[in-house]
Amino acid sequence: MSESKHIPQTAPQFSATFDPYTLSEIRRAAATGIYDIRGAGTKRKLPHFDDLLFLGASVSRYPLEGYREKCGTDVVLGTRFAKKPIHLKTPVTIAGMSFGALSAQAKEALGRGASIAGTSTTTGDGGMTPEERGQSKTLVYQYLPSRYGMNPDDLRKADAIEVVIGQGAKPGGGGMLLGQKISPRVARMRCLPEGIDQRSACRHPDWTGPDDLEIKILELREITDWEKPIYVKVGATRPYYDVALAVKAGADVVVLDGMQGGTAATQEVFIEHVGIPILAAIRPAVQALQDLGMHRKVQLIVSGGIRNGADVAKALALGADAVAIGTAALVALGDNDPHLEDEYRKLGSTAGAYDDWHEGRDPAGITTQDPELAKRLDPVQAGRRLANYLSVLTMEAQVIARACGKSHLHNLEPEDLVALTLESAAMAQVPLAGTGWIPGKPL
Ligand SMILES: Cc1cc2nc3c(=O)[nH]c(=O)nc-3n(C[C@H](O)[C@H](O)[C@H](O)COP(=O)(O)O)c2cc1C
């Protein structure tokens, strides 16, 4: 027989299962004996906010007039127990990204941009830098399993505390910072030897479950005179139970990070195969808050693949109070910018695909500790770019809210949404477009 009818002649590959990428990964593993580590989030296509659409106002609903009728964007976080809740002008916050993963200049730029936009930024696995504290009007301090950079004085300098249980990119796993990025300053702040790979703990040594967590949260409140809101951050896996337990443990705010969430460095297999998409996690999280009578009393911040104002509006319509951005903020600062194409090529990558953030050779000066590279990032200019981007996200979300007839972003609701696919309809619990059907619910 000359040619099999079953082999598609246009696609010269082994099979759909063993595609060229899979083959190259097998060869790479066989040649090196080490697993692949990279930064950023999942690359596979997942059900996401793009699979939802807003219905907009028509005869049965009234839109608001952009130039005459206000549409509020502010949010207050930490209203449950904290004496000093946080007031932000926009519900788009900057997610925790560590000094170590990022250069000091990048951390400063994040603070500057967030402050101009009237929002908060967050420390990360490496502690608080003076530049970041100095330039961030509202700074959330992460309290992590690794305890790196943990300093009670810094806790008191923060405006809120985020207890990190997990991250969407690697729920159940700890951080990684490879030796290339452990500069003398990073080493000092983390009490680590210079130049040696480190892996952060995946479990906090101070608690094994929600009862211990409750005690830890009380301790943090005592140290900070009950002033600061306490957030609890979880990677999206079993959101209904995790959110309920975080509330039981005394959280003022729950941060829920979906599997699209970026990371500075993790095993590829972890990024692509552990956790659930943020679209699937929001409704169960909101359900847990509603069942406990805590929706809008304990605020919900969601993250993982937020890119534009439509994503922000959709997350809020599904019941979140605010969102957090990581990867998009780095791109706004200048990460993966096409003007650096020649340099990305020298690293075997290309602008728009560079994700070897763990190697510390970022030509944009963002995911590096090399002093010469880091100097390339001007924190003032990069901060302005981030502020512009945050302002666009907020205005875009407002445009959508007005079109749905809402006088505040928080008035958006699931009823404003429909889904394009069966999967997204089931996950987001909104009707399939053109029908009244929500999978799993009677018509
Ligand atoms: C470079 C980088 C460093 C990060 N470092 C931390 C960290 O130290 N602690 C943490 O809780 N999450 C960390 N994250 C995860 C972010 O806080 C956030 O959950 C995630 O970036 C949100 O998804 P997005 O990147 O799609 O916006 C990091 C993310 C990136 C991209």
Side-chain angles (χ1 to χ4, degrees):
M1 209 171 85
S2 57
E3 268 184 5
S4 164
K5 280 189 192 148
H6 301 293
I7 299 172
Q9 299 305 306
T10 49
Q13 64 179 33
F14 214 47
S15 72
T17 308
F18 289 88
D19 59 20
Y21 174 73
T22 307
L23 296 180
S24 75
E25 276 304 289
I26 294 172
R27 284 186 205 107
R28 195 197 52 75
T32 64
I34 53 174
Y35 49 58
D36 194 21
I37 295 173
R38 66 168 173 85
T42 171
K43 293 187 193 293
R44 62 159 88 199
K45 186 158 169 48
L46 293 165
H48 198 35
F49 294 117
D50 287 339
D51 299 318
L52 302 183
L53 296 172
F54 279 101
L55 288 175
S58 181
V59 182
S60 62
R61 303 282 190 286
Y62 246 57
L64 295 190
E65 206 59 76
Y67 293 101
R68 281 188 281 131
E69 289 167 305
K70 284 212 169 80
C71 174
T73 62
D74 61 312
V75 61
V76 186
L77 300 171
T79 50
R80 186 184 186 193
F81 292 125
K83 283 195 240 167
K84 292 189 177 169
I86 282 178
H87 294 252
L88 304 178
K89 288 189 188 152
T90 168
V92 187
T93 65
I94 304 299
M97 292 182 274
S98 68
F99 167 61
L102 301 185
S103 62
Q105 286 84 340
K107 290 298 288 173
E108 179 184 337
L110 291 172
R112 286 178 179 273
S115 300
I116 298 170
T119 191
S120 59
T121 185
T122 312
T123 64
D125 218 346
M128 184 190 283
T129 65
E131 299 95 306
E132 169 179 46
R133 176 60 280 187
Q135 297 304 331
S136 307
K137 186 167 171 293
T138 308
L139 182 60
V140 182
Y141 183 73
Q142 283 201 332
Y143 184 72
L144 297 115
S146 67
R147 286 189 180 146
Y148 290 144
M150 165 52 196
N151 175 341
D153 291 333
D154 288 343
L155 276 177
R156 296 190 191 100
K157 281 186 214 150
D159 300 289
I161 297 164
E162 183 167 300
V163 177
V164 179
I165 309 281
Q167 264 177 254
K170 46 185 173 189
M176 260 183 191
L177 192 67
L178 299 193
Q180 296 95 307
K181 291 175 85 171
I182 316 242
S183 67
R185 186 175 178 193
V186 172
R188 245 188 342 269
M189 282 183 64
R190 299 186 184 214
C191 302
L192 286 169
E194 284 172 37
I196 296 190
D197 293 355
Q198 69 79 33
R199 279 146 214 267
S200 315
C202 59
R203 267 200 332 249
H204 202 290
D206 290 358
W207 66 79
T208 51
D211 296 333
D212 301 347
L213 179 58
E214 189 174 356
I215 296 168
K216 179 51 69 182
I217 288 179
L218 277 175
E219 277 176 22
L220 293 170
R221 288 200 193 281
E222 288 294 327
I223 303 177
T224 54
D225 201 19
W226 288 73
E227 282 184 349
K228 331 253 178 211
I230 311 248
Y231 302 9
V232 172
K233 175 174 180 177
V234 293
T237 55
R238 298 176 182 86
Y240 182 87
Y241 297 106
D242 290 337
V243 169
L245 290 170
V247 171
K248 179 187 172 293
D252 293 302
V253 175
V254 179
V255 182
L256 181 65
D257 191 26
M259 81 172 278
Q260 294 96 333
T263 174
T266 297
Q267 296 94 335
E268 159 98 4
V269 71
F270 215 142
I271 300 176
E272 297 292 353
H273 297 280
V274 185
I276 64 171
I278 193 62
L279 190 70
I282 302 178
R283 291 308 292 278
V286 171
Q287 190 64 52
L289 293 170
Q290 286 170 341
D291 289 351
L292 293 167
M294 285 293 176
H295 190 216
R296 308 291 186 210
K297 292 183 187 153
V298 167
Q299 286 78 38
L300 178 68
I301 302 178
V302 304
S303 56
I306 302 269
R307 306 149 297 174
N308 52 44
D311 291 349
V312 177
K314 288 170 189 176
L316 298 196
L318 293 177
D321 295 277
V323 303
I325 58 167
T327 305
L330 301 187
V331 174
L333 295 187
D335 183 71
N336 267 293
D337 200 277
H339 85 275
L340 295 166
E341 179 60 15
D342 290 346
E343 302 202 39
Y344 286 119
R345 279 187 188 272
K346 280 185 213 147
L347 298 174
S349 185
T350 178
Y354 177 66
D355 59 13
D356 285 329
W357 295 345
H358 56 291
E359 289 182 349
R361 293 192 290 158
D362 182 1
I366 295 172
T367 57
T368 182
Q369 296 304 320
D370 178 323
E372 289 309 310
L373 293 174
K375 258 199 316 217
R376 293 179 175 186
L377 189 79
D378 174 352
V380 176
Q381 220 177 53
R384 269 194 222 114
R385 289 168 58 93
L386 175 62
N388 285 341
Y389 172 61
L390 288 167
S391 158
V392 169
L393 289 185
T394 311
M395 288 191 294
E396 284 179 345
Q398 249 179 336
V399 164
I400 288 173
R402 282 204 179 95
C404 294
K406 304 296 157 88
S407 59
H408 198 287
L409 294 185
H410 290 137
N411 296 341
L412 287 165
E413 53 195 321
E415 202 262 340
D416 293 314
L417 292 168
V418 290
L420 283 170
T421 64
L422 277 179
E423 287 91 342
S424 53
M427 290 178 188
Q429 291 289 290
V430 299
L432 189 64
T435 78
W437 182 50
I438 300 175
K441 298 229 164 129
L443 264 177

